[in-house]
Structures are given as C-alpha cells and as structure tokens.
Amino acid sequence: MKCRKILVWLTSCLAIIALILVGAGFYFFNVACVPGQKNFISKNTNSVKKSDPLYKEKKWYFDTKKQKWYIDSASGNYRLDANYIPDGHSKKTAIILHGYMNNKDTVGSYATLFHKLGYNTLQPDARSHGESQGKYIGYGWVEKADVKKWINDVIKKTHPHQIVIFGVSMGAATAMMTSGEHLPKQVKAVIEDCGYSNVKDEIEHEAQDLYNMPAVPRFPLVEILSGINKAKVGYFLGEGSSVKQLNKNHRPMLFIHGAKDTFVPTRMVYENYRATRGEKELWIVPGAKHAKSFATHPQAYEHHVAQFLKKYVK
C-alpha cells in the first residue's frame, strides 16, 4: 500500500514536471516564433540619430526612392514583401537579408554600401517579419527556399549578369543555408556577417550563456522545442545547419564576425569557415559586438567587402 502511494506520488510529480516543461517549451516557442508583424517598428530618417556612426548611410537609404516587390513564399501560403533600389544600368544585384525580429529597413545601411559599390539592391522582409506575411519564423532553414524565389524574381525582372547574397545574423545563416542549394549561375558570391552554425546550437547557447539556464531543464526544454518546431515549422532544430549546407557550396564566401560577439559566439564562424568548399576569406572584426561590425569599423568594413567582391564579381 505504501509503495503504491509512493508510485502514485512519483507519477504525479513526473506529470507535473512534464507539464511545466511542455508549457515552458510552448512559451519559448511562441517567443521565438511570434509573427514579426507584432514587433515591426517602422523607421525613417527622423529616427536615426546624427551620433550614429552609420548616420549618412541610413539617411541615404531612407531618403531614396524604392520600388515595392512582392512574391509568394516558397510554400505558397504567404505574400512576401521587399524593397528594390535600382542603380542606373548596373547588371549587378545584391540581395540583402536582415536578422531575427528585424526588417528590410534595418539593413538599409548595407544597401547604401552596395550602391556605393555599383549594385542594385533587393531587401526582402523574411516571412513573419516586417510587412511580409507568415505564421512562424524558420531561422533561415525555411527561408532559404524563399531566397531562391527572390533570386529567380530578380533574374526575371532585371536580367542581371551577377548576383551577390549578403546577410546579417539570422540573415547570414539564411545566406549560408541558401549557398548549399542548387542556384542559378548568376549567383557569384556570398557574404555572411555573424551567422550561426546551427539553429539548435544557437538556441542552446542563448539558453545557457545568455539566460544562465542549467543543463536541467535546458536539455529537455530544447528537445521539446525541437519537437514543436518539427510539428509547426517542418524540421527538427538540429537539421537547420549552416555547416551542412556550406559543405555543398563552391561559390566564393566572405565570413565576417565580431571579436566580441556573445549573442552568436565568435567560435561559430570558424566552424562555418572550415565547412565551405569554395574560395573563402575570414575577417574577425576587432572590438565588434553582435551585428555591429559595420558600425564599429565602417571604412574597414567597406574596404573588406569591396576588395572581396572585386575578385569575384566583375
């Protein structure tokens, strides 16, 4: 009788723990995958401070006339939005991908940089971000198929000779994941700035290093989150690998990462760098935190990007 009571008590405790973990998993999943429209903050010239080291670049972007482009997502469920800025008769186009919970306007300074280098630019809002529709964020693994559609749309509308894919943070991971896909011959090079090596590794890093979550409940929580992601988004978190995609890439790549990046740890760039099969360059930016390399060293950043592209995009 006593053993039965203990067994019932243990079973109840385990059930409560399981419910807490599942609830926590759903909570973190909803935080991670909340539709971007709820967090979209429209920015304009007036919101950019003159003390910003990229003030001129951002002001140019917000003051410049833009074309609105739309496509349906690769899954066909959502309408995706983008800004396109032509550069005269240039036959070179840069597709610029923003980071997690950001939008096309937050990478405006990079659009300015590429225009200075003679490129047309396309800045898409990733699904569930900005003005693009969507229910869940795919951390780049799902979005890589959308980027392929944007590439084909650019080719169809402008007939460019050469395309460069550029991304920051989640956009950088998306760029690396896209690099392993079968892409049109017009895609000549890829530049990634502070992208993670694997979705699951990045989420575990955030849970451990940023939120000081111990192994328990971190491990079961991430596994639960991975299972929910599979059910909702279509893949287990560990499958979302930049490294595996880079193993299939043979295009030239420039890897940029801040030396003081604690959000996407700098160690991840070395794994990414080793994985790619094409020509490659690596720049660890002194003193730069996450996604702050351009703002920390604007002139050096422009120089590295320009010199890299000069070799592979004519």
Side-chain angles (χ1 to χ4, degrees), residues 44-117:
N44 53 44
T45 302
N46 295 328
S47 69
V48 181
K49 297 180 180 179
K50 291 187 177 181
S51 58
D52 189 324
L54 299 176
Y55 172 78
K56 291 182 180 179
E57 287 81 0
K58 293 178 181 179
K59 186 177 187 305
W60 181 91
Y61 171 78
F62 285 115
D63 290 346
T64 297
K65 186 176 180 181
K66 307 165 186 69
Q67 297 177 13
K68 275 291 195 181
W69 284 21
Y70 303 98
I71 62 169
D72 291 330
S73 63
S75 59
N77 298 328
Y78 312 115
R79 190 181 78 161
L80 305 181
D81 176 279
N83 283 343
Y84 177 77
I85 307 176
D87 184 11
H89 301 289
S90 177
K91 288 297 183 180
K92 300 184 293 184
T93 299
I95 298 176
I96 303 172
L97 309 175
H98 64 74
Y100 175 73
M101 299 309 291
N102 283 281
N103 60 73
K104 56 183 176 292
D105 289 338
T106 62
V107 287
S109 56
Y110 300 97
T112 304
L113 169 60
F114 276 96
H115 272 273
K116 287 177 67 177
L117 299 177

Side-chain angles (χ1 to χ4, degrees), residues 5-16:
K5 288 182 178 180
I6 292 174
L7 182 61
V8 171
W9 180 80
L10 287 173
T11 302
S12 298
C13 288
L14 289 173
I16 292 171

Side-chain angles (χ1 to χ4, degrees), residues 212-225:
N212 299 312
M213 188 179 292
V216 177
R218 185 181 74 247
F219 175 76
L221 180 60
V222 173
E223 292 302 318
I224 290 170
L225 175 58

